[in-house]
Amino acid sequence: MSLSSCLDVSAEVSAALKNGEPVVALESTIISHGMPYPENVESARTSEATIRAHGALPATVAVLNGKIKVGLSEEELVFLGQAKDIPKASRRDLPVLLAMGGNGATTVATTMIGAAMAGISLFATGGIGGVHRGAPQSFDISADLQELAKTPVAVVCAGAKSILDIGLTLEYLETFGVPVLGFGTDRFPAFYTRDSGYPVDCRVDDAQQAARVLRVKWEAGLEGGVVIANPIPQEYEMDAAYIEDVIEQALAECQRRGVRGKHITPFLLARLHEKTGNKSLSANKKLVYHNCAVAADIAVAYCKSR
Ligand code: PSU
Ligand code: MN
């Protein structure tokens, strides 16, 4: 089986990449498991439109009929948003889905894999997975972190939610040599809030500086990804004490119900949206659009820096 038999890059994305034009990848777990319908489809559409408005081409990634598709049609976006039975597909799920001809919503890890196969360097999302609270006992560490260690894609995100242990997540990234850049900030953001209480490794103040770090890293042969942490815009930031309280409640419920493994993150996200009366969903959408804009700006700068 060759790479081309499991990878299907849309004509538009493929032409842009051949011409050295900027492309930004988007994940599909955020569509199928991160937000409810119809907000998920609206958010996917607005994300793509934002990337185009900033001069790059969007390429949403998903597994469809046993192929990694890079660049989805409108019908495919709606399908992923409406279907109830699309499994969340991380690295370990890929070979099975490809072999069996299945469908899957790609996480940060698998979206990075698809992007790297296609030759896309920038990827925009909401938040990355990480080391879960209680991981010293549960061993629950997202495969996203190992992917960042080895796959050469830069992920623009609003940091990580404090459903995770952010301190341990940053330690893990340091151990595996993943640079964490703050975009216009010295602080690692916590998704709904602009400051997790932890610093970033390095601050970059514009798209050109970020693009330069990527160019130098990969030209120097330093494998692996980069986290570009872009805080939620001030006007959409949530109250830290309020969201922390809601997260604590959701985590307690998760434990009580014995939710495990890959179901933990989607369970917590759904609970947060319910408990905040969709305030968190609205913040989530805004920060994703902001990440799309920044990722597109960096993709444009990265192409020019060649
Ligand atoms: N965090 C969010 N929103 C999300 C996810 C994480 O704030 O939608 C999704 C992403 O697709 C991420 C995945 O890659 O959850 C991580 O899942 P796990 O913790 O099971 O690796
Ligand atoms: Mn996990």
PDB file of all heavy atoms in Angstrom, residues 239-278:
ATOM      1  N   ASP A 239     -14.443  34.477  33.128  1.00  0.00           N
ATOM      2  CA  ASP A 239     -13.980  34.670  34.499  1.00  0.00           C
ATOM      3  C   ASP A 239     -13.270  33.401  34.981  1.00  0.00           C
ATOM      4  O   ASP A 239     -13.830  32.308  34.937  1.00  0.00           O
ATOM      5  CB  ASP A 239     -15.178  34.991  35.398  1.00  0.00           C
ATOM      6  CG  ASP A 239     -14.732  35.213  36.826  1.00  0.00           C
ATOM      7  OD1 ASP A 239     -14.156  36.268  37.090  1.00  0.00           O
ATOM      8  OD2 ASP A 239     -14.934  34.295  37.659  1.00  0.00           O
ATOM      9  N   ALA A 240     -12.025  33.545  35.435  1.00  0.00           N
ATOM     10  CA  ALA A 240     -11.182  32.389  35.764  1.00  0.00           C
ATOM     11  C   ALA A 240     -11.782  31.548  36.897  1.00  0.00           C
ATOM     12  O   ALA A 240     -11.821  30.315  36.798  1.00  0.00           O
ATOM     13  CB  ALA A 240      -9.780  32.855  36.127  1.00  0.00           C
ATOM     14  N   ALA A 241     -12.261  32.196  37.952  1.00  0.00           N
ATOM     15  CA  ALA A 241     -12.782  31.445  39.105  1.00  0.00           C
ATOM     16  C   ALA A 241     -14.049  30.684  38.705  1.00  0.00           C
ATOM     17  O   ALA A 241     -14.244  29.528  39.072  1.00  0.00           O
ATOM     18  CB  ALA A 241     -13.074  32.391  40.259  1.00  0.00           C
ATOM     19  N   TYR A 242     -14.885  31.339  37.900  1.00  0.00           N
ATOM     20  CA  TYR A 242     -16.131  30.710  37.449  1.00  0.00           C
ATOM     21  C   TYR A 242     -15.841  29.460  36.618  1.00  0.00           C
ATOM     22  O   TYR A 242     -16.377  28.373  36.883  1.00  0.00           O
ATOM     23  CB  TYR A 242     -16.946  31.732  36.645  1.00  0.00           C
ATOM     24  CG  TYR A 242     -18.111  31.137  35.889  1.00  0.00           C
ATOM     25  CD1 TYR A 242     -19.223  30.658  36.568  1.00  0.00           C
ATOM     26  CD2 TYR A 242     -18.089  31.057  34.495  1.00  0.00           C
ATOM     27  CE1 TYR A 242     -20.293  30.101  35.886  1.00  0.00           C
ATOM     28  CE2 TYR A 242     -19.149  30.502  33.801  1.00  0.00           C
ATOM     29  CZ  TYR A 242     -20.249  30.024  34.496  1.00  0.00           C
ATOM     30  OH  TYR A 242     -21.288  29.477  33.806  1.00  0.00           O
ATOM     31  N   ILE A 243     -14.974  29.586  35.616  1.00  0.00           N
ATOM     32  CA  ILE A 243     -14.735  28.443  34.720  1.00  0.00           C
ATOM     33  C   ILE A 243     -14.004  27.321  35.464  1.00  0.00           C
ATOM     34  O   ILE A 243     -14.252  26.143  35.234  1.00  0.00           O
ATOM     35  CB  ILE A 243     -14.013  28.882  33.409  1.00  0.00           C
ATOM     36  CG1 ILE A 243     -14.116  27.795  32.344  1.00  0.00           C
ATOM     37  CG2 ILE A 243     -12.586  29.310  33.611  1.00  0.00           C
ATOM     38  CD1 ILE A 243     -15.499  27.582  31.782  1.00  0.00           C
ATOM     39  N   GLU A 244     -13.143  27.694  36.409  1.00  0.00           N
ATOM     40  CA  GLU A 244     -12.433  26.677  37.198  1.00  0.00           C
ATOM     41  C   GLU A 244     -13.431  25.856  38.020  1.00  0.00           C
ATOM     42  O   GLU A 244     -13.325  24.629  38.105  1.00  0.00           O
ATOM     43  CB  GLU A 244     -11.401  27.362  38.108  1.00  0.00           C
ATOM     44  CG  GLU A 244     -10.512  26.406  38.891  1.00  0.00           C
ATOM     45  CD  GLU A 244      -9.760  25.391  38.023  1.00  0.00           C
ATOM     46  OE1 GLU A 244      -9.387  25.737  36.883  1.00  0.00           O
ATOM     47  OE2 GLU A 244      -9.561  24.248  38.481  1.00  0.00           O
ATOM     48  N   ASP A 245     -14.426  26.539  38.575  1.00  0.00           N
ATOM     49  CA  ASP A 245     -15.438  25.867  39.374  1.00  0.00           C
ATOM     50  C   ASP A 245     -16.236  24.881  38.498  1.00  0.00           C
ATOM     51  O   ASP A 245     -16.480  23.735  38.895  1.00  0.00           O
ATOM     52  CB  ASP A 245     -16.362  26.934  39.988  1.00  0.00           C
ATOM     53  CG  ASP A 245     -17.432  26.308  40.855  1.00  0.00           C
ATOM     54  OD1 ASP A 245     -17.064  25.520  41.743  1.00  0.00           O
ATOM     55  OD2 ASP A 245     -18.627  26.591  40.628  1.00  0.00           O
ATOM     56  N   VAL A 246     -16.602  25.325  37.305  1.00  0.00           N
ATOM     57  CA  VAL A 246     -17.352  24.464  36.390  1.00  0.00           C
ATOM     58  C   VAL A 246     -16.503  23.255  35.976  1.00  0.00           C
ATOM     59  O   VAL A 246     -16.996  22.121  35.903  1.00  0.00           O
ATOM     60  CB  VAL A 246     -17.805  25.278  35.153  1.00  0.00           C
ATOM     61  CG1 VAL A 246     -18.469  24.383  34.127  1.00  0.00           C
ATOM     62  CG2 VAL A 246     -18.744  26.391  35.568  1.00  0.00           C
ATOM     63  N   ILE A 247     -15.224  23.482  35.739  1.00  0.00           N
ATOM     64  CA  ILE A 247     -14.315  22.389  35.356  1.00  0.00           C
ATOM     65  C   ILE A 247     -14.202  21.370  36.490  1.00  0.00           C
ATOM     66  O   ILE A 247     -14.263  20.157  36.257  1.00  0.00           O
ATOM     67  CB  ILE A 247     -12.931  22.953  34.939  1.00  0.00           C
ATOM     68  CG1 ILE A 247     -13.042  23.587  33.544  1.00  0.00           C
ATOM     69  CG2 ILE A 247     -11.852  21.871  34.965  1.00  0.00           C
ATOM     70  CD1 ILE A 247     -11.813  24.345  33.082  1.00  0.00           C
ATOM     71  N   GLU A 248     -14.088  21.865  37.730  1.00  0.00           N
ATOM     72  CA  GLU A 248     -14.017  20.957  38.896  1.00  0.00           C
ATOM     73  C   GLU A 248     -15.263  20.075  38.968  1.00  0.00           C
ATOM     74  O   GLU A 248     -15.172  18.874  39.202  1.00  0.00           O
ATOM     75  CB  GLU A 248     -13.904  21.760  40.206  1.00  0.00           C
ATOM     76  CG  GLU A 248     -12.624  22.559  40.351  1.00  0.00           C
ATOM     77  CD  GLU A 248     -11.446  21.724  40.847  1.00  0.00           C
ATOM     78  OE1 GLU A 248     -11.650  20.533  41.155  1.00  0.00           O
ATOM     79  OE2 GLU A 248     -10.331  22.273  40.905  1.00  0.00           O
ATOM     80  N   GLN A 249     -16.431  20.684  38.758  1.00  0.00           N
ATOM     81  CA  GLN A 249     -17.688  19.918  38.801  1.00  0.00           C
ATOM     82  C   GLN A 249     -17.712  18.850  37.702  1.00  0.00           C
ATOM     83  O   GLN A 249     -18.105  17.708  37.922  1.00  0.00           O
ATOM     84  CB  GLN A 249     -18.890  20.830  38.588  1.00  0.00           C
ATOM     85  CG  GLN A 249     -19.185  21.774  39.728  1.00  0.00           C
ATOM     86  CD  GLN A 249     -20.306  22.741  39.337  1.00  0.00           C
ATOM     87  OE1 GLN A 249     -21.216  22.381  38.594  1.00  0.00           O
ATOM     88  NE2 GLN A 249     -20.211  23.968  39.808  1.00  0.00           N
ATOM     89  N   ALA A 250     -17.282  19.249  36.500  1.00  0.00           N
ATOM     90  CA  ALA A 250     -17.291  18.320  35.361  1.00  0.00           C
ATOM     91  C   ALA A 250     -16.322  17.168  35.604  1.00  0.00           C
ATOM     92  O   ALA A 250     -16.627  16.004  35.317  1.00  0.00           O
ATOM     93  CB  ALA A 250     -16.941  19.062  34.076  1.00  0.00           C
ATOM     94  N   LEU A 251     -15.162  17.479  36.172  1.00  0.00           N
ATOM     95  CA  LEU A 251     -14.171  16.430  36.461  1.00  0.00           C
ATOM     96  C   LEU A 251     -14.709  15.454  37.498  1.00  0.00           C
ATOM     97  O   LEU A 251     -14.534  14.232  37.369  1.00  0.00           O
ATOM     98  CB  LEU A 251     -12.868  17.060  36.968  1.00  0.00           C
ATOM     99  CG  LEU A 251     -11.965  17.691  35.903  1.00  0.00           C
ATOM    100  CD1 LEU A 251     -10.905  18.580  36.550  1.00  0.00           C
ATOM    101  CD2 LEU A 251     -11.304  16.618  35.045  1.00  0.00           C
ATOM    102  N   ALA A 252     -15.405  15.987  38.518  1.00  0.00           N
ATOM    103  CA  ALA A 252     -15.962  15.128  39.563  1.00  0.00           C
ATOM    104  C   ALA A 252     -17.013  14.193  38.961  1.00  0.00           C
ATOM    105  O   ALA A 252     -17.058  13.001  39.269  1.00  0.00           O
ATOM    106  CB  ALA A 252     -16.566  15.982  40.677  1.00  0.00           C
ATOM    107  N   GLU A 253     -17.834  14.734  38.056  1.00  0.00           N
ATOM    108  CA  GLU A 253     -18.871  13.921  37.426  1.00  0.00           C
ATOM    109  C   GLU A 253     -18.257  12.828  36.551  1.00  0.00           C
ATOM    110  O   GLU A 253     -18.725  11.688  36.516  1.00  0.00           O
ATOM    111  CB  GLU A 253     -19.786  14.816  36.604  1.00  0.00           C
ATOM    112  CG  GLU A 253     -20.987  14.056  36.094  1.00  0.00           C
ATOM    113  CD  GLU A 253     -21.969  14.923  35.342  1.00  0.00           C
ATOM    114  OE1 GLU A 253     -21.839  16.160  35.383  1.00  0.00           O
ATOM    115  OE2 GLU A 253     -22.841  14.336  34.678  1.00  0.00           O
ATOM    116  N   CYS A 254     -17.200  13.192  35.865  1.00  0.00           N
ATOM    117  CA  CYS A 254     -16.467  12.256  35.003  1.00  0.00           C
ATOM    118  C   CYS A 254     -15.986  11.057  35.838  1.00  0.00           C
ATOM    119  O   CYS A 254     -16.135   9.904  35.456  1.00  0.00           O
ATOM    120  CB  CYS A 254     -15.286  13.030  34.412  1.00  0.00           C
ATOM    121  SG  CYS A 254     -14.457  12.232  33.071  1.00  0.00           S
ATOM    122  N   GLN A 255     -15.444  11.350  37.018  1.00  0.00           N
ATOM    123  CA  GLN A 255     -14.950  10.314  37.935  1.00  0.00           C
ATOM    124  C   GLN A 255     -16.082   9.447  38.451  1.00  0.00           C
ATOM    125  O   GLN A 255     -15.987   8.222  38.437  1.00  0.00           O
ATOM    126  CB  GLN A 255     -14.286  10.995  39.134  1.00  0.00           C
ATOM    127  CG  GLN A 255     -12.871  11.446  38.847  1.00  0.00           C
ATOM    128  CD  GLN A 255     -11.912  10.925  39.902  1.00  0.00           C
ATOM    129  OE1 GLN A 255     -12.229  10.965  41.091  1.00  0.00           O
ATOM    130  NE2 GLN A 255     -10.779  10.413  39.464  1.00  0.00           N
ATOM    131  N   ARG A 256     -17.166  10.118  38.888  1.00  0.00           N
ATOM    132  CA  ARG A 256     -18.318   9.394  39.434  1.00  0.00           C
ATOM    133  C   ARG A 256     -18.870   8.414  38.426  1.00  0.00           C
ATOM    134  O   ARG A 256     -19.253   7.311  38.749  1.00  0.00           O
ATOM    135  CB  ARG A 256     -19.435  10.384  39.800  1.00  0.00           C
ATOM    136  CG  ARG A 256     -19.497  10.784  41.238  1.00  0.00           C
ATOM    137  CD  ARG A 256     -20.864  11.332  41.664  1.00  0.00           C
ATOM    138  NE  ARG A 256     -21.492  12.245  40.730  1.00  0.00           N
ATOM    139  CZ  ARG A 256     -21.237  13.542  40.628  1.00  0.00           C
ATOM    140  NH1 ARG A 256     -20.326  14.093  41.409  1.00  0.00           N
ATOM    141  NH2 ARG A 256     -21.865  14.299  39.765  1.00  0.00           N
ATOM    142  N   ARG A 257     -18.913   8.857  37.156  1.00  0.00           N
ATOM    143  CA  ARG A 257     -19.512   8.013  36.126  1.00  0.00           C
ATOM    144  C   ARG A 257     -18.546   7.014  35.532  1.00  0.00           C
ATOM    145  O   ARG A 257     -18.908   6.224  34.657  1.00  0.00           O
ATOM    146  CB  ARG A 257     -20.012   8.895  34.990  1.00  0.00           C
ATOM    147  CG  ARG A 257     -21.125   9.802  35.405  1.00  0.00           C
ATOM    148  CD  ARG A 257     -21.937  10.034  34.198  1.00  0.00           C
ATOM    149  NE  ARG A 257     -22.974  10.997  34.384  1.00  0.00           N
ATOM    150  CZ  ARG A 257     -23.878  11.233  33.457  1.00  0.00           C
ATOM    151  NH1 ARG A 257     -23.817  10.585  32.300  1.00  0.00           N
ATOM    152  NH2 ARG A 257     -24.806  12.103  33.662  1.00  0.00           N
ATOM    153  N   GLY A 258     -17.285   7.098  35.943  1.00  0.00           N
ATOM    154  CA  GLY A 258     -16.286   6.166  35.438  1.00  0.00           C
ATOM    155  C   GLY A 258     -15.992   6.329  33.950  1.00  0.00           C
ATOM    156  O   GLY A 258     -15.686   5.354  33.259  1.00  0.00           O
ATOM    157  N   VAL A 259     -16.091   7.566  33.442  1.00  0.00           N
ATOM    158  CA  VAL A 259     -15.750   7.819  32.028  1.00  0.00           C
ATOM    159  C   VAL A 259     -14.245   7.630  31.861  1.00  0.00           C
ATOM    160  O   VAL A 259     -13.465   8.110  32.679  1.00  0.00           O
ATOM    161  CB  VAL A 259     -16.162   9.253  31.615  1.00  0.00           C
ATOM    162  CG1 VAL A 259     -15.786   9.521  30.168  1.00  0.00           C
ATOM    163  CG2 VAL A 259     -17.657   9.462  31.829  1.00  0.00           C
ATOM    164  N   ARG A 260     -13.855   6.911  30.796  1.00  0.00           N
ATOM    165  CA  ARG A 260     -12.436   6.570  30.657  1.00  0.00           C
ATOM    166  C   ARG A 260     -11.905   6.840  29.258  1.00  0.00           C
ATOM    167  O   ARG A 260     -12.654   6.977  28.295  1.00  0.00           O
ATOM    168  CB  ARG A 260     -12.228   5.074  30.928  1.00  0.00           C
ATOM    169  CG  ARG A 260     -12.522   4.649  32.341  1.00  0.00           C
ATOM    170  CD  ARG A 260     -11.369   3.906  33.002  1.00  0.00           C
ATOM    171  NE  ARG A 260     -11.452   4.113  34.460  1.00  0.00           N
ATOM    172  CZ  ARG A 260     -12.414   3.616  35.228  1.00  0.00           C
ATOM    173  NH1 ARG A 260     -13.364   2.879  34.728  1.00  0.00           N
ATOM    174  NH2 ARG A 260     -12.402   3.855  36.524  1.00  0.00           N
ATOM    175  N   GLY A 261     -10.581   6.846  29.170  1.00  0.00           N
ATOM    176  CA  GLY A 261      -9.860   6.824  27.895  1.00  0.00           C
ATOM    177  C   GLY A 261     -10.231   7.968  26.983  1.00  0.00           C
ATOM    178  O   GLY A 261     -10.365   9.113  27.406  1.00  0.00           O
ATOM    179  N   LYS A 262     -10.450   7.636  25.695  1.00  0.00           N
ATOM    180  CA  LYS A 262     -10.684   8.659  24.684  1.00  0.00           C
ATOM    181  C   LYS A 262     -11.998   9.411  24.897  1.00  0.00           C
ATOM    182  O   LYS A 262     -12.226  10.452  24.286  1.00  0.00           O
ATOM    183  CB  LYS A 262     -10.653   8.032  23.292  1.00  0.00           C
ATOM    184  CG  LYS A 262     -11.843   7.138  22.988  1.00  0.00           C
ATOM    185  CD  LYS A 262     -11.603   6.277  21.763  1.00  0.00           C
ATOM    186  CE  LYS A 262     -12.113   6.928  20.509  1.00  0.00           C
ATOM    187  NZ  LYS A 262     -12.030   6.015  19.337  1.00  0.00           N
ATOM    188  N   HIS A 263     -12.892   8.880  25.762  1.00  0.00           N
ATOM    189  CA  HIS A 263     -14.186   9.526  25.981  1.00  0.00           C
ATOM    190  C   HIS A 263     -14.112  10.679  26.983  1.00  0.00           C
ATOM    191  O   HIS A 263     -15.039  11.474  27.079  1.00  0.00           O
ATOM    192  CB  HIS A 263     -15.216   8.486  26.442  1.00  0.00           C
ATOM    193  CG  HIS A 263     -15.349   7.362  25.463  1.00  0.00           C
ATOM    194  ND1 HIS A 263     -15.853   7.556  24.191  1.00  0.00           N
ATOM    195  CD2 HIS A 263     -14.976   6.063  25.521  1.00  0.00           C
ATOM    196  CE1 HIS A 263     -15.804   6.414  23.525  1.00  0.00           C
ATOM    197  NE2 HIS A 263     -15.277   5.495  24.309  1.00  0.00           N
ATOM    198  N   ILE A 264     -13.011  10.761  27.721  1.00  0.00           N
ATOM    199  CA  ILE A 264     -12.912  11.768  28.787  1.00  0.00           C
ATOM    200  C   ILE A 264     -12.981  13.186  28.225  1.00  0.00           C
ATOM    201  O   ILE A 264     -13.802  13.998  28.661  1.00  0.00           O
ATOM    202  CB  ILE A 264     -11.609  11.571  29.609  1.00  0.00           C
ATOM    203  CG1 ILE A 264     -11.710  10.266  30.423  1.00  0.00           C
ATOM    204  CG2 ILE A 264     -11.367  12.765  30.533  1.00  0.00           C
ATOM    205  CD1 ILE A 264     -10.481   9.959  31.256  1.00  0.00           C
ATOM    206  N   THR A 265     -12.140  13.496  27.235  1.00  0.00           N
ATOM    207  CA  THR A 265     -12.109  14.877  26.726  1.00  0.00           C
ATOM    208  C   THR A 265     -13.456  15.297  26.140  1.00  0.00           C
ATOM    209  O   THR A 265     -13.993  16.340  26.544  1.00  0.00           O
ATOM    210  CB  THR A 265     -10.926  15.063  25.745  1.00  0.00           C
ATOM    211  OG1 THR A 265      -9.711  14.764  26.449  1.00  0.00           O
ATOM    212  CG2 THR A 265     -10.846  16.481  25.218  1.00  0.00           C
ATOM    213  N   PRO A 266     -14.077  14.509  25.229  1.00  0.00           N
ATOM    214  CA  PRO A 266     -15.398  14.913  24.715  1.00  0.00           C
ATOM    215  C   PRO A 266     -16.457  15.047  25.813  1.00  0.00           C
ATOM    216  O   PRO A 266     -17.275  15.959  25.773  1.00  0.00           O
ATOM    217  CB  PRO A 266     -15.774  13.783  23.739  1.00  0.00           C
ATOM    218  CG  PRO A 266     -14.487  13.154  23.343  1.00  0.00           C
ATOM    219  CD  PRO A 266     -13.570  13.304  24.528  1.00  0.00           C
ATOM    220  N   PHE A 267     -16.407  14.157  26.808  1.00  0.00           N
ATOM    221  CA  PHE A 267     -17.370  14.232  27.917  1.00  0.00           C
ATOM    222  C   PHE A 267     -17.227  15.563  28.647  1.00  0.00           C
ATOM    223  O   PHE A 267     -18.209  16.265  28.905  1.00  0.00           O
ATOM    224  CB  PHE A 267     -17.139  13.064  28.902  1.00  0.00           C
ATOM    225  CG  PHE A 267     -18.018  13.117  30.125  1.00  0.00           C
ATOM    226  CD1 PHE A 267     -19.283  12.545  30.113  1.00  0.00           C
ATOM    227  CD2 PHE A 267     -17.590  13.764  31.282  1.00  0.00           C
ATOM    228  CE1 PHE A 267     -20.102  12.607  31.233  1.00  0.00           C
ATOM    229  CE2 PHE A 267     -18.406  13.842  32.403  1.00  0.00           C
ATOM    230  CZ  PHE A 267     -19.666  13.256  32.380  1.00  0.00           C
ATOM    231  N   LEU A 268     -15.994  15.931  28.970  1.00  0.00           N
ATOM    232  CA  LEU A 268     -15.758  17.179  29.708  1.00  0.00           C
ATOM    233  C   LEU A 268     -16.179  18.393  28.887  1.00  0.00           C
ATOM    234  O   LEU A 268     -16.808  19.318  29.410  1.00  0.00           O
ATOM    235  CB  LEU A 268     -14.282  17.280  30.114  1.00  0.00           C
ATOM    236  CG  LEU A 268     -13.826  16.267  31.173  1.00  0.00           C
ATOM    237  CD1 LEU A 268     -12.311  16.317  31.348  1.00  0.00           C
ATOM    238  CD2 LEU A 268     -14.518  16.530  32.515  1.00  0.00           C
ATOM    239  N   LEU A 269     -15.880  18.387  27.586  1.00  0.00           N
ATOM    240  CA  LEU A 269     -16.235  19.531  26.734  1.00  0.00           C
ATOM    241  C   LEU A 269     -17.751  19.714  26.695  1.00  0.00           C
ATOM    242  O   LEU A 269     -18.265  20.825  26.851  1.00  0.00           O
ATOM    243  CB  LEU A 269     -15.707  19.331  25.311  1.00  0.00           C
ATOM    244  CG  LEU A 269     -14.189  19.218  25.152  1.00  0.00           C
ATOM    245  CD1 LEU A 269     -13.806  19.023  23.690  1.00  0.00           C
ATOM    246  CD2 LEU A 269     -13.490  20.434  25.723  1.00  0.00           C
ATOM    247  N   ALA A 270     -18.480  18.603  26.530  1.00  0.00           N
ATOM    248  CA  ALA A 270     -19.946  18.683  26.465  1.00  0.00           C
ATOM    249  C   ALA A 270     -20.518  19.199  27.784  1.00  0.00           C
ATOM    250  O   ALA A 270     -21.418  20.041  27.803  1.00  0.00           O
ATOM    251  CB  ALA A 270     -20.529  17.318  26.132  1.00  0.00           C
ATOM    252  N   ARG A 271     -19.976  18.719  28.913  1.00  0.00           N
ATOM    253  CA  ARG A 271     -20.447  19.168  30.223  1.00  0.00           C
ATOM    254  C   ARG A 271     -20.212  20.669  30.423  1.00  0.00           C
ATOM    255  O   ARG A 271     -21.063  21.377  30.950  1.00  0.00           O
ATOM    256  CB  ARG A 271     -19.734  18.405  31.344  1.00  0.00           C
ATOM    257  CG  ARG A 271     -20.364  17.088  31.649  1.00  0.00           C
ATOM    258  CD  ARG A 271     -21.790  17.286  32.170  1.00  0.00           C
ATOM    259  NE  ARG A 271     -22.435  16.021  32.381  1.00  0.00           N
ATOM    260  CZ  ARG A 271     -23.026  15.297  31.433  1.00  0.00           C
ATOM    261  NH1 ARG A 271     -23.074  15.745  30.190  1.00  0.00           N
ATOM    262  NH2 ARG A 271     -23.566  14.147  31.708  1.00  0.00           N
ATOM    263  N   LEU A 272     -19.050  21.143  29.997  1.00  0.00           N
ATOM    264  CA  LEU A 272     -18.750  22.578  30.166  1.00  0.00           C
ATOM    265  C   LEU A 272     -19.749  23.414  29.387  1.00  0.00           C
ATOM    266  O   LEU A 272     -20.260  24.419  29.880  1.00  0.00           O
ATOM    267  CB  LEU A 272     -17.338  22.907  29.668  1.00  0.00           C
ATOM    268  CG  LEU A 272     -16.159  22.270  30.403  1.00  0.00           C
ATOM    269  CD1 LEU A 272     -14.844  22.887  29.926  1.00  0.00           C
ATOM    270  CD2 LEU A 272     -16.287  22.473  31.896  1.00  0.00           C
ATOM    271  N   HIS A 273     -20.047  22.974  28.141  1.00  0.00           N
ATOM    272  CA  HIS A 273     -20.990  23.748  27.336  1.00  0.00           C
ATOM    273  C   HIS A 273     -22.365  23.763  27.984  1.00  0.00           C
ATOM    274  O   HIS A 273     -23.039  24.784  28.029  1.00  0.00           O
ATOM    275  CB  HIS A 273     -21.048  23.201  25.906  1.00  0.00           C
ATOM    276  CG  HIS A 273     -19.746  23.364  25.170  1.00  0.00           C
ATOM    277  ND1 HIS A 273     -19.359  22.521  24.152  1.00  0.00           N
ATOM    278  CD2 HIS A 273     -18.745  24.260  25.320  1.00  0.00           C
ATOM    279  CE1 HIS A 273     -18.164  22.901  23.709  1.00  0.00           C
ATOM    280  NE2 HIS A 273     -17.773  23.954  24.398  1.00  0.00           N
ATOM    281  N   GLU A 274     -22.778  22.613  28.530  1.00  0.00           N
ATOM    282  CA  GLU A 274     -24.076  22.536  29.212  1.00  0.00           C
ATOM    283  C   GLU A 274     -24.120  23.427  30.438  1.00  0.00           C
ATOM    284  O   GLU A 274     -25.036  24.201  30.637  1.00  0.00           O
ATOM    285  CB  GLU A 274     -24.318  21.109  29.699  1.00  0.00           C
ATOM    286  CG  GLU A 274     -24.998  20.209  28.706  1.00  0.00           C
ATOM    287  CD  GLU A 274     -24.978  18.789  29.240  1.00  0.00           C
ATOM    288  OE1 GLU A 274     -25.221  18.587  30.465  1.00  0.00           O
ATOM    289  OE2 GLU A 274     -24.681  17.890  28.437  1.00  0.00           O
ATOM    290  N   LYS A 275     -23.096  23.268  31.278  1.00  0.00           N
ATOM    291  CA  LYS A 275     -23.101  23.930  32.587  1.00  0.00           C
ATOM    292  C   LYS A 275     -22.971  25.445  32.483  1.00  0.00           C
ATOM    293  O   LYS A 275     -23.376  26.156  33.390  1.00  0.00           O
ATOM    294  CB  LYS A 275     -21.968  23.384  33.459  1.00  0.00           C
ATOM    295  CG  LYS A 275     -22.240  22.009  34.044  1.00  0.00           C
ATOM    296  CD  LYS A 275     -21.018  21.533  34.824  1.00  0.00           C
ATOM    297  CE  LYS A 275     -21.167  20.099  35.303  1.00  0.00           C
ATOM    298  NZ  LYS A 275     -22.149  19.984  36.397  1.00  0.00           N
ATOM    299  N   THR A 276     -22.357  25.946  31.418  1.00  0.00           N
ATOM    300  CA  THR A 276     -22.184  27.400  31.309  1.00  0.00           C
ATOM    301  C   THR A 276     -23.283  28.012  30.453  1.00  0.00           C
ATOM    302  O   THR A 276     -23.204  29.185  30.093  1.00  0.00           O
ATOM    303  CB  THR A 276     -20.838  27.767  30.657  1.00  0.00           C
ATOM    304  OG1 THR A 276     -20.834  27.255  29.323  1.00  0.00           O
ATOM    305  CG2 THR A 276     -19.659  27.214  31.430  1.00  0.00           C
ATOM    306  N   GLY A 277     -24.303  27.214  30.114  1.00  0.00           N
ATOM    307  CA  GLY A 277     -25.368  27.739  29.264  1.00  0.00           C
ATOM    308  C   GLY A 277     -24.788  28.243  27.954  1.00  0.00           C
ATOM    309  O   GLY A 277     -25.162  29.303  27.464  1.00  0.00           O
ATOM    310  N   ASN A 278     -23.826  27.500  27.419  1.00  0.00           N
ATOM    311  CA  ASN A 278     -23.217  27.806  26.121  1.00  0.00           C
ATOM    312  C   ASN A 278     -22.326  29.045  26.107  1.00  0.00           C
ATOM    313  O   ASN A 278     -21.847  29.439  25.063  1.00  0.00           O
ATOM    314  CB  ASN A 278     -24.260  27.897  25.005  1.00  0.00           C
ATOM    315  CG  ASN A 278     -24.707  26.508  24.583  1.00  0.00           C
ATOM    316  OD1 ASN A 278     -24.055  25.517  24.912  1.00  0.00           O
ATOM    317  ND2 ASN A 278     -25.801  26.428  23.870  1.00  0.00           N
TER     318      ASN A 278
END
